[in-house]
Amino acid sequence: MESCTVDLKALAWHNKSLVEGCPAVSHISRSHSSCSADTCRHDPSTVYTQLSYLDSPRSNSSNGFATRRKGGELSTRHWWLVGLVFLVAATAGVGVGVPLAFRGDPSQSLDTRLEFAKKILAEFPLIDGHNDLPWNIRSFIHNQLEKLKLNESLKTVEPWSVSNWSHTDIPRLLEGRVGGQFWVAYTPCAAQYQNAVQLTLEQIDLIKRVIKKYNQYLELVTNSQDIKTVFKKGKIASLIAIEGGHGISNSFGSLRMMYELGVRYLTLTHACNTPWATSSVIERQSPDAKKTENFGLTDFGKKVVQEMNRLGMMVDLSHVSTQTMRDTLATTQAPIIFSHSSSRALCDNPRNVPDEILHEVKKNRGIVMVSFYADHVSCTEPANVTHVARHISHIREVAGIDHVGIGADFDGINKTPDGLEDVSKYPFLLAELLRDPTWTVEDIRKLIGENIIRVFSEVERVRDDLLAKGVEPLEEEIHPEYLRGKTNCTYIFD
Amino acid sequence: MLSVGGEAAVVVMWVLTAARARCEASPLPVRVSPQATHQERLQAAHHLLAHSPLIDGHNDLAWNVRKFLHNKLHFFNLSSDLTQEKPWMNSPFSHTDLPRLKQGQVAAQFWSVYVPCEAQYLNTVQLLLEQIDVVKRLISASPGDTTLVHSSAGIIEEFERGRVASLMGVEGGHGLASSMGVMRALYDLGVRYVTLTHKCHTPWAECSEPGSHPPNTRGLTPYGKEMIWEMNRVGMLVDLSHASSKTARDVLSTSRAPVIFSHSATRALCHIDRNLPDDILSSLALNGGLVMVSFYTDFISCSETATIQDVVGHINQVRTMAGVDHVGIGAGFDGIN
């Protein structure tokens, strides 16, 4: 009998291949572009100060950010004033809020902007939409947490230290002032029609064990209000997400139980179609696919979206095809998210979000959380922090400031932009935005966390409304014809 | 001293916890005379059940819901009288609905979350999730009558509120796909026991049936022992019904916590591998665990018919060999015909 258990050893990266250079990226473990020699030689210790700006800070021409803001500009003097106020307040032992109307200023030094960024991050939580550390824990140490010291730097611990896919540990999360994180329970597409549900449960269990083991720093959160509560305690609000609809194996019962286990978003597809939703991979195979009506959500897929609305689970459209994006936006009663996607206008890749969809996201009141994967951030030249800032600004321009966020995809990518090499670098992204006078502190507050909290709470409100209306749980089974004969690992009832 | 078994309808009730006695009129009967009429003994039974919760260890209604309705509850109601509804009324496997649970004064029920051995190595984890989902949906559709509880304290609370306390037990360790992560996730979902095997060996535990393939080892493998310790650590009850005697002995010498047999009977009165030999019963006294006696005729009388007296015989046998603190009731309704 053909095995119904996907072979994880084939997916894991062995130390040997890491040391030799390129991680053994198999087609079934990652869908990103294959590892290039440049990537493997990339020095992860490159620091922000070594990079050169694409544009001079004092240039009269556009510095690449969309300029749309009207209103007065604050002069340099105000930065000094703010600095003085903080100094006095600190001396007096008084907490002072960061003024929300404060704007970016390109004349400020990086150090000043960085310090200011850190003050913003101390007051308002930065909530990142997507981190794949749990998959690295599976790949590298088979979920055996006794072999992991996440509270110490992994930069000198193998195999983490020799992997381009590793960007996360607690010291760096703290340095990066991360206030909240969606941790991803990912299972590879190879597990579809095999033991995907089992693997998904194991990853959810792993995330909970990690949170518990490091509960001095991390705390599990399953509703929007607790994010700020945990943040104020000085811990990282930790949420659980599933990447890949194949993880629920076409089963509403499984979907509901995943919600009960604490899962708060599901990425409808990873790099493979499910029987009910198409993935962006089809657009690489056939460019026309993005236009064809057949490639999107089936009726069953629409029901999955409806059931997620009823449960209060956020629908994540990263990785899905353009048609699936359209179908979902037309079906959903709640705001949706893109947990780790960037802008297609700036880098034409099916993983990124086209402007047409950004307009719909605005109407939907959803959010696009910008990914840091270098190949999605810059299609041409080597990526850096300025490219990421441009994506953020573009999405703000088209969808609006209420609909943009950050979802770096750390630990799920092997190429990061210069200046954003790991989870310690978020302040540098804010410092970059603070070069732009069209960005206020209020804008940044929304970008980094307020927007995703709002989306999450609106999804909860839709859930409550549907409950009050007495909408019942869905019970359909998927039609066997959609499984295309891949049922040898499925128990068939008489 | 009392004579064991045999004598018709001798019902002896001991007051368990006087401290919890509610402020109602009559005290619990300490002993009912064997000369009392059936009506008097029944009266005493009702009175006792009103004051002390009856907790049944194993009911397979959820599997019938799967088989008969494919888990579609849209037209199903646990509060209905299923003796008047098809296909329930025509099935010898159907014994349960809320009206009858109330009539039986069942205070708490472990609902079996079952996955068949034919599904082993297939999508068992998904099937388990679907069964847990249907149990939870059944419970939430009858909020005034039953609530899902997760602890012993929860049972008492619901009893005092006059509601049936519902719990869940996974039947068939093969459903875990040999994964401790899955076991922990099931615990998180509210499952409180795992029946280590059904009628098939798992890669780490032997069942009481011979099966088409021999087990990896007689009893528990070393991994099986780790699984027991992990179940102990999280607080998941180990259920040894269906497991082989060797597995039961291995578990009894490994487990750090009391174990249960959620629906089993005694080999002394019906000599089959599925039933428990006296030495295992005696071990329970040390382990602190519990045999919850099944009502299945094949286990009780080794035949297709049995009487209440036969069931009482098994209860008394467990009490004699293990002690009165180590016997309970696990009828196995809806899983037997």
Side-chain angles (χ1 to χ4, degrees):
Chain A
M1 183 179 65
E2 190 185 301
S3 170
C4 292
T5 308
V6 73
D7 180 5
L8 288 179
K9 287 200 200 74
L11 304 175
W13 300 298
H14 301 288
N15 290 352
K16 184 166 175 291
S17 60
L18 292 171
V19 166
E20 281 170 2
C22 240
V25 178
S26 69
H27 72 285
I28 47 176
S29 62
R30 299 287 172 195
S31 66
H32 305 303
S33 56
S34 57
C35 178
S36 70
D38 282 344
T39 307
C40 297
R41 286 200 299 271
H42 177 77
D43 178 0
S45 68
T46 303
V47 294
Y48 183 81
T49 51
Q50 288 176 11
L51 75 87
S52 54
Y53 287 99
L54 285 182
D55 300 296
S56 158
R58 294 191 186 277
S59 156
N60 288 332
S61 61
S62 162
N63 60 3
F65 298 161
T67 51
R68 64 163 182 79
R69 282 306 187 94
K70 302 185 177 102
E73 305 222 335
L74 292 170
S75 68
T76 315
R77 185 162 41 102
H78 286 98
W79 281 71
W80 284 108
L81 199 59
V82 169
L84 186 64
V85 169
F86 275 117
L87 183 61
V88 169
T91 313
V94 172
V96 172
V98 179
L100 294 176
F102 214 73
R103 292 184 177 281
D105 182 347
S107 68
Q108 294 304 311
S109 71
L110 172 63
D111 280 345
T112 307
R113 285 181 278 116
L114 212 47
E115 279 317 297
F116 195 57
K118 289 175 185 172
K119 287 194 171 56
I120 295 175
L121 289 163
E123 194 170 330
F124 307 119
L126 182 147
I127 301 154
D128 182 278
H130 197 96
N131 185 303
D132 274 305
L133 174 67
W135 182 248
N136 279 343
I137 297 176
R138 165 88 80 168
S139 298
F140 295 167
I141 55 174
H142 303 288
N143 289 359
Q144 291 175 342
L145 289 187
E146 72 256 19
K147 296 184 181 156
L148 177 68
K149 289 187 184 157
L150 197 62
N151 55 333
E152 294 174 8
S153 169
L154 294 178
K155 291 202 277 195
T156 53
V157 177
E158 288 191 10
W160 315 87
S161 55
V162 295
S163 170
N164 289 331
W165 299 84
S166 170
H167 316 109
T168 310
D169 53 45
I170 287 173
R172 281 181 284 177
L173 284 165
L174 297 175
E175 198 185 326
R177 282 27 178 209
V178 175
Q181 181 67 66
F182 282 88
W183 301 105
V184 180
Y186 160 84
T187 56
C189 280
Q192 182 163 211
Y193 308 117
Q194 295 189 54
N195 61 339
V197 176
Q198 174 195 339
L199 295 178
T200 304
L201 284 196
E202 290 173 348
Q203 292 308 96
I204 294 169
D205 166 69
L206 171 69
I207 292 168
K208 289 182 172 183
R209 289 191 288 126
V210 169
I211 293 170
K212 195 165 182 193
K213 184 174 177 183
Y214 298 103
N215 64 3
Q216 189 188 345
Y217 306 103
L218 309 173
E219 190 167 318
L220 181 66
V221 161
T222 53
N223 66 66
S224 60
Q225 288 193 310
D226 283 346
I227 293 176
K228 283 191 177 156
T229 310
V230 168
F231 174 68
K232 284 179 184 146
K233 282 196 230 176
K235 292 199 207 178
I236 299 170
S238 293
L239 302 103
I240 307 174
I242 293 178
E243 184 172 28
H246 55 282
I248 62 164
S249 210
N250 317 310
S251 163
F252 287 117
S254 293
L255 173 65
R256 287 188 281 266
M257 291 304 101
M258 300 298 181
Y259 184 86
E260 289 223 4
L261 285 169
V263 173
R264 289 299 176 263
Y265 80 67
L266 169 69
T267 318
L268 294 190
T269 73
H270 190 245
C272 55
N273 301 336
T274 66
W276 40 270
T278 50
S279 157
S280 62
V281 291
I282 60 158
E283 287 169 32
R284 268 184 238 136
Q285 292 153 17
S286 151
D288 287 336
K290 58 177 116 176
K291 297 176 195 142
T292 316
E293 274 175 12
N294 290 339
F295 294 89
L297 284 182
T298 64
D299 283 342
F300 189 85
K302 291 175 188 171
K303 294 202 160 92
V304 171
V305 169
Q306 284 163 10
E307 185 66 1
M308 290 175 69
N309 289 165
R310 193 191 68 80
L311 286 169
M313 193 185 296
M314 290 180 276
V315 178
D316 175 22
L317 296 177
S318 288
H319 283 286
V320 307
S321 67
T322 312
Q323 190 58 39
T324 300
M325 294 177 197
R326 289 187 197 110
D327 290 348
T328 305
L329 284 157
T331 304
T332 180
Q333 294 178 267
I336 57 86
I337 74 171
F338 285 79
S339 67
H340 58 303
S341 294
S342 297
S343 156
R344 209 178 283 188
L346 302 188
C347 176
D348 189 9
N349 183 299
R351 268 288 280 113
N352 284 341
V353 187
D355 282 1
E356 152 215 344
I357 298 292
L358 289 179
H359 289 296
E360 295 305 309
V361 170
K362 177 179 187 164
K363 290 184 212 160
N364 165 264
R365 301 177 55 77
I367 186 173
V368 175
M369 304 175 90
V370 169
S371 154
F372 292 5
Y373 180 49
D375 286 358
H376 293 166
V377 155
S378 171
C379 281
T380 50
E381 56 210 351
N384 63 36
V385 63
T386 308
H387 290 110
V388 176
R390 283 187 192 148
H391 278 271
I392 289 173
S393 286
H394 180 81
I395 292 168
R396 182 182 70 158
E397 171 82 14
V398 180
I401 184 55
D402 295 319
H403 307 292
V404 62
I406 297 171
D409 198 12
F410 280 127
D411 279 57
I413 56 182
N414 61 347
K415 288 169 82 171
T416 52
D418 280 345
L420 295 173
E421 288 79 7
D422 61 41
V423 296
S424 70
K425 303 293 188 180
Y426 292 102
F428 290 92
L429 175 60
L430 270 64
E432 179 66 10
L433 290 168
L434 285 167
R435 283 207 294 141
D436 179 349
T438 71
W439 277 88
T440 62
V441 169
E442 168 72 354
D443 289 352
I444 291 176
R445 182 177 82 109
K446 288 183 173 186
L447 164 75
I448 62 175
E450 209 56 37
N451 286 342
I452 182 61
I453 293 176
R454 183 206 80 239
V455 167
F456 191 5
S457 70
E458 287 188 18
V459 166
E460 288 166 338
R461 245 199 324 279
V462 169
R463 171 199 66 196
D464 297 341
D465 286 345
L466 293 173
L467 181 69
K469 284 177 188 156
V471 175
E472 292 194 351
L474 289 180
E475 298 181 316
E476 269 100 301
E477 284 160 16
I478 193 165
H479 197 285
E481 119 190 355
Y482 286 97
L483 301 177
R484 301 188 186 185
K486 293 179 188 168
T487 53
N488 39 338
C489 292
T490 307
Y491 175 75
I492 307 289
F493 288 84
D494 299 325
Chain B
M1 289 301 286
L2 301 154
S3 59
V4 173
E7 198 63 86
V10 174
V11 179
V12 179
M13 322 241 189
W14 295 95
V15 175
L16 291 177
T17 49
R20 292 204 76 99
R22 288 182 282 172
C23 307
E24 288 190 18
S26 44
L28 289 172
V30 173
R31 201 180 288 255
V32 176
S33 161
Q35 274 75 47
T37 62
H38 181 254
Q39 194 52 35
E40 284 167 338
R41 285 180 276 110
L42 207 50
Q43 220 29 43
H46 285 310
H47 192 70
L48 190 95
L49 287 166
H51 288 83
S52 291
L54 184 143
I55 302 159
D56 182 277
H58 198 92
N59 184 302
D60 276 300
L61 175 67
W63 188 244
N64 282 342
V65 170
R66 168 78 85 158
K67 277 189 316 187
F68 297 164
L69 305 177
H70 301 286
N71 286 356
K72 291 183 177 36
L73 300 183
H74 196 64
F75 297 112
F76 177 78
N77 197 336
L78 196 56
S79 305
S80 308
D81 175 3
L82 293 181
T83 60
Q84 307 301 315
E85 277 187 35
K86 292 182 185 180
W88 310 89
M89 56 196 261
N90 297 327
S91 170
F93 280 91
S94 171
H95 317 107
T96 312
D97 52 45
L98 261 172
R100 281 177 284 174
L101 279 168
K102 288 181 184 173
Q103 215 178 336
Q105 292 178 277
V106 174
Q109 180 67 64
F110 280 89
W111 301 105
S112 169
V113 172
Y114 166 76
V115 58
C117 279
E118 290 79 6
Q120 187 173 29
Y121 307 122
L122 306 181
N123 58 335
T124 56
V125 178
Q126 176 192 337
L127 295 175
L128 283 181
L129 290 188
E130 290 171 351
Q131 288 312 100
I132 294 171
D133 170 64
V134 84
V135 168
K136 290 188 170 193
R137 287 191 288 130
L138 280 169
I139 294 167
S140 47
S142 299
D145 295 313
T146 181
T147 310
L148 186 67
V149 307
H150 304 99
S151 65
S152 49
I155 295 176
I156 305 294
E157 273 169 35
E158 288 308 304
F159 179 62
E160 285 172 357
R161 287 192 192 122
R163 284 200 290 251
V164 176
S166 287
L167 302 101
M168 295 185 288
V170 156
E171 184 171 30
H174 58 282
L176 304 182
S178 302
S179 167
M180 292 185 191
V182 169
M183 188 277 292
R184 289 186 288 259
L186 297 178
Y187 186 89
D188 266 359
L189 286 170
V191 171
R192 287 296 175 266
Y193 74 64
V194 173
T195 317
L196 293 192
T197 74
H198 193 244
K199 296 180 190 176
C200 51
H201 312 302
T202 70
W204 41 274
E206 181 195 21
C207 74
S208 63
E209 312 244 335
S212 48
H213 300 290
N216 284 338
T217 196
R218 311 306 308 271
L220 278 184
T221 66
Y223 183 77
K225 293 183 182 170
E226 300 277 340
M227 179 66 87
I228 298 302
W229 286 328
E230 187 62 4
M231 287 173 68
N232 292 160
R233 192 188 66 80
V234 305
M236 181 82 87
L237 287 158
V238 177
D239 174 21
L240 293 170
S241 289
H242 288 288
S244 70
S245 300
K246 180 67 168 61
T247 300
R249 291 185 192 108
D250 284 351
V251 171
L252 284 161
S253 62
T254 302
S255 177
R256 295 166 179 148
V259 303
I260 67 170
F261 291 76
S262 65
H263 55 308
S264 289
T266 69
R267 209 176 282 185
L269 301 181
C270 167
H271 193 84
I272 55 173
D273 288 339
R274 175 70 173 78
N275 283 345
L276 305 187
D278 284 347
D279 71 291
I280 290 181
L281 296 179
S282 305
S283 307
L284 276 173
L286 208 61
N287 166 262
L290 190 64
V291 176
M292 303 175 93
V293 172
S294 160
F295 293 2
Y296 186 37
T297 56
D298 283 13
F299 300 164
I300 294 297
S301 63
C302 281
S303 77
E304 293 202 344
T305 54
T307 63
I308 293 181
Q309 290 74 16
D310 293 332
V311 176
V312 170
H314 282 272
I315 290 173
N316 280 327
Q317 176 69 7
V318 177
R319 187 180 66 156
T320 301
M321 298 309 302
V324 77
D325 294 318
H326 307 290
V327 63
I329 298 170
F333 281 129
D334 277 58
I336 56 181
N337 57 345

